[in-house]
Every structure is written in structure tokens, then in C-alpha cells.
Amino acid sequence: MNRNDRRIALTAIAIAALALIALWLTENNNRTTAVVTAANDSITQQHDTDRKGYYQRSLAITVGDVPTRHTEEFPFDPNTADSTQLLRLGLQPWQVRSIYRYRARGGVFRSKRDFAQLYGLTKKDYLRLEPYIRISDDYQAASTLFPKEERDTLRYPAKLKNGEHIVLNTADTTQLMKVPGIGSYYAKEIVRHGKWIGGYVSVDQLDEIDGFPQTAKQYFIVDHPTPQRLNINRLSLKQLRNHPYINYYQAKAIVDYRRLHGDIKSLQDLRFSKDFTEGAIRRLEPYIEY
């Protein structure tokens, strides 16, 4: 083999070697790309799975079963009740904050009517809470310490003397203002309250009037009371609820008892209901017929 032939052979071998190297590099690159792609696909799939699980957990938190806040009824003074008690009564947190701000500014709840002005308080919630509102005498206006006859002396000079009495159910406002401590406001309130409850059966029912002066009670008597009576077996829930001594839950207990057991023979039939305490039965009994 001459020199030219050897040169041609070496060139051919070099070209073949370069071709083999190029082929090896191409296959290795494709293999690496496939591995990287597979890894990326795995990472993307895992990310999608994690994100899906996150949204599922978020959905479970946001639209899942939300625990119901149980409300309670118990006597409370809106001037002293703390936030825990107010929340247990069913008031919203923002309403509790409103009460705290009102008290911090020196505001005082002197009557149930004042509490009814609480922002956002519905009629339903007020009627549910109204029987349990107890406002201490300490929060009454200082003017209630003094007999109201001092303001009425010039216009109504003739006041009753000790031992004299007025029949509570038959007296008009003019007669009522003869009682020491009773002016035009309380005279009207006595008449209004008597009509509202269906007639007085006890002088102690005057205590149901906000701020009523205790010293005036000695001048009243109840003579042969004939209160308006409710037929407890015939009236609807709404009609029963209209009486001031029957709240919504008591009216519902009456209607439920009639549906399950028939006519009520005595209010004692309801004594096993948590809404009818002995005091509630005793107060309501004179106004019921069967």
C-alpha cells in the first residue's frame, strides 16, 4: 500500500470515528431530555394534586358544616352583663361591642324600652329576651328617690292621707293622681298597664311598671277583680302570644300540648314544660279559662 492509500484509509477511519461519536452524543442527549421531561411531568402532576387537595380542604373549611351557636335564656342586667353572658343570650359579637361602647360612654339602660333600642336587635329577639331583663334599681334616675307629689302639689294639692285607699281597677287618672307619689305619667301608666294585662288581680302587679314608686302601693286595693280571661284551648299561637304574660315559647308549649294530649284542664298540666315555672303558672292562672 502506497502513501496515498494509507492517507485515504486514515481519513476514512477518522470520519467513521467522528460519525460514531456524533451518534453517541445524540442518543445520550435524547435520553437526558426524556429523563428531564419525565421529572418535570412528575413535579407538575404532584403540584396539581397538592393544589387540588388544598382547594378541597379549603372548600371543606368554608362551606362545610358550621357549628350552630346555641342560645340560652336567663335573667340578665344589660348594664352589668359581661360579653360571655351576652353571647350566650344569642346576641351577635358586634352587638356586644355596641353595648360595651354605649356603657363606656356613660350610657345606662334604665328600662326594657332602652334595651329595645339596641342597634340591629330584631323584634323576635327582643320578645325572646324581654322576660329575662332585670334592671337594678341602682341604675334608675335619682329623681325617683323623691315623691312625685312634690312636682304636682300646686296643680293637685288634695292628696290621700294614710289609711285612705283607691280601688285600682275602677279609678281614673284624676283619682289616681290623688295618691302621694303619683303624677300624670304614672296615672296614665297604671291605666294603660291594667288594660294591657286584662285587669289587676293584685296590687303587686304595679311593680311591672318601670320605676313605679313603692311607697304609693299602700294606697291601692283590688276589690273583687274580674280580669279578662283567655280560652286557652281555643286561641291560636298568635292570639295566645298577644297576652303580656305569655311569651312565644309558652304559647308554643300550649299549642303543642293540645295537639298531643287534647284540651288543657289546668295550667298544672303544663308544669313539666321548662317554660312554665310555678311563678309563671301562678301569675297567669287568673287570666285563663278552659
Side-chain angles (χ1 to χ4, degrees), residues 8 15 25 39 43 49 74 81 112 117 124 147-148 152 215 260 268:
I8 292 172
I15 292 173
L25 290 174
I43 293 171
T49 301
F74 51 87
K112 296 179 179 181
Q117 304 302 315
K124 178 181 178 181
K148 290 186 178 294
D152 299 326
T215 56
L260 296 173
Q268 291 300 321

PDB file of all heavy atoms in Angstrom, residues 8 15 25 39 43 49 74 81 112 117 124 147-148 152 215 260 268:
ATOM      1  N   ILE A   8      -5.737   7.901   2.564  1.00  0.00           N
ATOM      2  CA  ILE A   8      -7.185   7.761   2.314  1.00  0.00           C
ATOM      3  C   ILE A   8      -7.823   6.885   3.376  1.00  0.00           C
ATOM      4  O   ILE A   8      -8.906   7.169   3.912  1.00  0.00           O
ATOM      5  CB  ILE A   8      -7.419   7.182   0.899  1.00  0.00           C
ATOM      6  CG1 ILE A   8      -6.990   8.197  -0.157  1.00  0.00           C
ATOM      7  CG2 ILE A   8      -8.893   6.819   0.716  1.00  0.00           C
ATOM      8  CD1 ILE A   8      -6.996   7.647  -1.572  1.00  0.00           C
ATOM      9  N   ILE A  15     -13.253   9.762   9.769  1.00  0.00           N
ATOM     10  CA  ILE A  15     -14.652  10.171   9.504  1.00  0.00           C
ATOM     11  C   ILE A  15     -15.613   9.224  10.205  1.00  0.00           C
ATOM     12  O   ILE A  15     -16.611   9.625  10.814  1.00  0.00           O
ATOM     13  CB  ILE A  15     -14.907  10.199   7.991  1.00  0.00           C
ATOM     14  CG1 ILE A  15     -14.098  11.345   7.356  1.00  0.00           C
ATOM     15  CG2 ILE A  15     -16.391  10.378   7.708  1.00  0.00           C
ATOM     16  CD1 ILE A  15     -14.143  11.349   5.834  1.00  0.00           C
ATOM     17  N   LEU A  25     -23.415  10.977  21.071  1.00  0.00           N
ATOM     18  CA  LEU A  25     -23.826  12.219  21.737  1.00  0.00           C
ATOM     19  C   LEU A  25     -25.306  12.505  21.531  1.00  0.00           C
ATOM     20  O   LEU A  25     -26.016  12.958  22.430  1.00  0.00           O
ATOM     21  CB  LEU A  25     -22.980  13.392  21.224  1.00  0.00           C
ATOM     22  CG  LEU A  25     -21.508  13.394  21.652  1.00  0.00           C
ATOM     23  CD1 LEU A  25     -20.754  14.531  20.940  1.00  0.00           C
ATOM     24  CD2 LEU A  25     -21.387  13.537  23.162  1.00  0.00           C
ATOM     25  N   ALA A  39     -39.298  13.927  34.691  1.00  0.00           N
ATOM     26  CA  ALA A  39     -39.212  14.510  36.033  1.00  0.00           C
ATOM     27  C   ALA A  39     -40.094  15.740  36.163  1.00  0.00           C
ATOM     28  O   ALA A  39     -40.801  15.931  37.161  1.00  0.00           O
ATOM     29  CB  ALA A  39     -37.754  14.860  36.355  1.00  0.00           C
ATOM     30  N   ILE A  43     -43.256  16.372  38.601  1.00  0.00           N
ATOM     31  CA  ILE A  43     -43.366  17.515  39.513  1.00  0.00           C
ATOM     32  C   ILE A  43     -44.662  18.275  39.271  1.00  0.00           C
ATOM     33  O   ILE A  43     -45.383  18.665  40.203  1.00  0.00           O
ATOM     34  CB  ILE A  43     -42.158  18.443  39.347  1.00  0.00           C
ATOM     35  CG1 ILE A  43     -40.894  17.735  39.834  1.00  0.00           C
ATOM     36  CG2 ILE A  43     -42.360  19.752  40.105  1.00  0.00           C
ATOM     37  CD1 ILE A  43     -39.613  18.486  39.522  1.00  0.00           C
ATOM     38  N   THR A  49     -51.829  17.889  42.038  1.00  0.00           N
ATOM     39  CA  THR A  49     -52.503  17.086  43.068  1.00  0.00           C
ATOM     40  C   THR A  49     -52.551  17.834  44.395  1.00  0.00           C
ATOM     41  O   THR A  49     -53.573  17.896  45.078  1.00  0.00           O
ATOM     42  CB  THR A  49     -51.769  15.746  43.252  1.00  0.00           C
ATOM     43  OG1 THR A  49     -51.761  15.041  42.002  1.00  0.00           O
ATOM     44  CG2 THR A  49     -52.458  14.901  44.318  1.00  0.00           C
ATOM     45  N   PHE A  74     -81.743  33.472  80.376  1.00  0.00           N
ATOM     46  CA  PHE A  74     -81.560  33.564  81.825  1.00  0.00           C
ATOM     47  C   PHE A  74     -81.619  35.046  82.201  1.00  0.00           C
ATOM     48  O   PHE A  74     -81.387  35.921  81.366  1.00  0.00           O
ATOM     49  CB  PHE A  74     -80.218  32.953  82.257  1.00  0.00           C
ATOM     50  CG  PHE A  74     -79.038  33.469  81.487  1.00  0.00           C
ATOM     51  CD1 PHE A  74     -78.365  34.623  81.884  1.00  0.00           C
ATOM     52  CD2 PHE A  74     -78.604  32.820  80.353  1.00  0.00           C
ATOM     53  CE1 PHE A  74     -77.282  35.100  81.180  1.00  0.00           C
ATOM     54  CE2 PHE A  74     -77.525  33.288  79.629  1.00  0.00           C
ATOM     55  CZ  PHE A  74     -76.865  34.423  80.039  1.00  0.00           C
ATOM     56  N   ALA A  81     -74.045  42.863  82.537  1.00  0.00           N
ATOM     57  CA  ALA A  81     -73.737  41.580  81.909  1.00  0.00           C
ATOM     58  C   ALA A  81     -72.424  41.672  81.133  1.00  0.00           C
ATOM     59  O   ALA A  81     -72.170  42.651  80.434  1.00  0.00           O
ATOM     60  CB  ALA A  81     -74.870  41.161  80.983  1.00  0.00           C
ATOM     61  N   LYS A 112     -86.558  48.459  80.021  1.00  0.00           N
ATOM     62  CA  LYS A 112     -86.530  47.476  78.942  1.00  0.00           C
ATOM     63  C   LYS A 112     -86.640  48.172  77.585  1.00  0.00           C
ATOM     64  O   LYS A 112     -86.075  47.707  76.591  1.00  0.00           O
ATOM     65  CB  LYS A 112     -87.678  46.483  79.115  1.00  0.00           C
ATOM     66  CG  LYS A 112     -87.570  45.635  80.372  1.00  0.00           C
ATOM     67  CD  LYS A 112     -88.742  44.685  80.493  1.00  0.00           C
ATOM     68  CE  LYS A 112     -88.628  43.814  81.751  1.00  0.00           C
ATOM     69  NZ  LYS A 112     -89.754  42.872  81.879  1.00  0.00           N
ATOM     70  N   GLN A 117     -83.767  49.544  72.027  1.00  0.00           N
ATOM     71  CA  GLN A 117     -83.160  50.448  71.047  1.00  0.00           C
ATOM     72  C   GLN A 117     -81.794  49.959  70.565  1.00  0.00           C
ATOM     73  O   GLN A 117     -81.182  50.607  69.717  1.00  0.00           O
ATOM     74  CB  GLN A 117     -82.995  51.852  71.666  1.00  0.00           C
ATOM     75  CG  GLN A 117     -84.285  52.457  72.209  1.00  0.00           C
ATOM     76  CD  GLN A 117     -85.365  52.572  71.143  1.00  0.00           C
ATOM     77  OE1 GLN A 117     -85.102  53.001  70.030  1.00  0.00           O
ATOM     78  NE2 GLN A 117     -86.578  52.184  71.496  1.00  0.00           N
ATOM     79  N   LYS A 124     -88.178  39.813  67.095  1.00  0.00           N
ATOM     80  CA  LYS A 124     -88.224  38.429  67.565  1.00  0.00           C
ATOM     81  C   LYS A 124     -87.256  38.222  68.725  1.00  0.00           C
ATOM     82  O   LYS A 124     -87.605  37.626  69.752  1.00  0.00           O
ATOM     83  CB  LYS A 124     -87.888  37.479  66.421  1.00  0.00           C
ATOM     84  CG  LYS A 124     -87.852  36.009  66.827  1.00  0.00           C
ATOM     85  CD  LYS A 124     -87.483  35.132  65.643  1.00  0.00           C
ATOM     86  CE  LYS A 124     -87.406  33.668  66.054  1.00  0.00           C
ATOM     87  NZ  LYS A 124     -87.018  32.803  64.904  1.00  0.00           N
ATOM     88  N   PRO A 147     -90.644  61.652  96.181  1.00  0.00           N
ATOM     89  CA  PRO A 147     -92.058  61.510  95.827  1.00  0.00           C
ATOM     90  C   PRO A 147     -92.451  62.495  94.741  1.00  0.00           C
ATOM     91  O   PRO A 147     -92.071  63.663  94.768  1.00  0.00           O
ATOM     92  CB  PRO A 147     -92.786  61.802  97.150  1.00  0.00           C
ATOM     93  CG  PRO A 147     -91.765  61.564  98.215  1.00  0.00           C
ATOM     94  CD  PRO A 147     -90.444  61.949  97.608  1.00  0.00           C
ATOM     95  N   LYS A 148     -93.223  61.986  93.786  1.00  0.00           N
ATOM     96  CA  LYS A 148     -93.606  62.837  92.666  1.00  0.00           C
ATOM     97  C   LYS A 148     -94.654  63.883  93.050  1.00  0.00           C
ATOM     98  O   LYS A 148     -94.905  64.802  92.302  1.00  0.00           O
ATOM     99  CB  LYS A 148     -94.127  61.975  91.513  1.00  0.00           C
ATOM    100  CG  LYS A 148     -93.026  61.170  90.848  1.00  0.00           C
ATOM    101  CD  LYS A 148     -93.555  60.461  89.624  1.00  0.00           C
ATOM    102  CE  LYS A 148     -92.417  59.701  88.932  1.00  0.00           C
ATOM    103  NZ  LYS A 148     -91.399  60.583  88.380  1.00  0.00           N
ATOM    104  N   ASP A 152     -96.316  67.876  91.835  1.00  0.00           N
ATOM    105  CA  ASP A 152     -97.732  68.028  91.496  1.00  0.00           C
ATOM    106  C   ASP A 152     -98.514  68.805  92.558  1.00  0.00           C
ATOM    107  O   ASP A 152     -99.727  68.961  92.449  1.00  0.00           O
ATOM    108  CB  ASP A 152     -98.393  66.646  91.337  1.00  0.00           C
ATOM    109  CG  ASP A 152     -97.750  65.850  90.224  1.00  0.00           C
ATOM    110  OD1 ASP A 152     -97.319  66.459  89.223  1.00  0.00           O
ATOM    111  OD2 ASP A 152     -97.662  64.631  90.373  1.00  0.00           O
ATOM    112  N   THR A 215     -93.643  53.380  97.587  1.00  0.00           N
ATOM    113  CA  THR A 215     -94.409  53.999  98.677  1.00  0.00           C
ATOM    114  C   THR A 215     -95.860  54.245  98.300  1.00  0.00           C
ATOM    115  O   THR A 215     -96.716  54.440  99.176  1.00  0.00           O
ATOM    116  CB  THR A 215     -93.763  55.337  99.076  1.00  0.00           C
ATOM    117  OG1 THR A 215     -93.679  56.187  97.918  1.00  0.00           O
ATOM    118  CG2 THR A 215     -92.362  55.114  99.647  1.00  0.00           C
ATOM    119  N   LEU A 260    -100.977  17.174  71.112  1.00  0.00           N
ATOM    120  CA  LEU A 260    -100.561  15.837  71.514  1.00  0.00           C
ATOM    121  C   LEU A 260    -101.508  15.184  72.518  1.00  0.00           C
ATOM    122  O   LEU A 260    -101.682  13.953  72.499  1.00  0.00           O
ATOM    123  CB  LEU A 260     -99.151  15.892  72.114  1.00  0.00           C
ATOM    124  CG  LEU A 260     -98.021  16.318  71.149  1.00  0.00           C
ATOM    125  CD1 LEU A 260     -96.720  16.494  71.915  1.00  0.00           C
ATOM    126  CD2 LEU A 260     -97.849  15.296  70.039  1.00  0.00           C
ATOM    127  N   GLN A 268    -101.641  23.380  85.506  1.00  0.00           N
ATOM    128  CA  GLN A 268    -100.728  22.406  86.096  1.00  0.00           C
ATOM    129  C   GLN A 268    -100.379  21.299  85.116  1.00  0.00           C
ATOM    130  O   GLN A 268     -99.369  20.600  85.288  1.00  0.00           O
ATOM    131  CB  GLN A 268    -101.340  21.806  87.374  1.00  0.00           C
ATOM    132  CG  GLN A 268    -101.444  22.782  88.536  1.00  0.00           C
ATOM    133  CD  GLN A 268    -100.088  23.322  88.966  1.00  0.00           C
ATOM    134  OE1 GLN A 268     -99.094  22.585  88.979  1.00  0.00           O
ATOM    135  NE2 GLN A 268    -100.038  24.598  89.321  1.00  0.00           N
TER     136      GLN A 268
END
